[in-house]
Coordinates of all heavy atoms in Angstrom, one line a residue:
V19 N 232.1 70.2 46.2 CA 231.5 68.9 46.0 C 231.9 68.4 44.6 O 231.6 69.0 43.6 CB 229.9 69.0 46.0 CG1 229.3 67.6 45.9 CG2 229.5 69.7 47.3
G124 N 214.6 73.5 45.1 CA 215.5 72.7 44.2 C 214.7 71.9 43.3 O 215.0 71.8 42.1
G133 N 214.7 72.5 33.8 CA 215.9 72.6 34.6 C 216.6 74.0 34.4 O 217.0 74.3 33.3
A156 N 212.8 67.5 46.8 CA 211.5 66.8 46.9 C 210.4 67.5 47.5 O 210.6 68.6 48.1 CB 211.8 65.5 47.7

Side-chain angles (χ1 to χ4, degrees):
V19 184

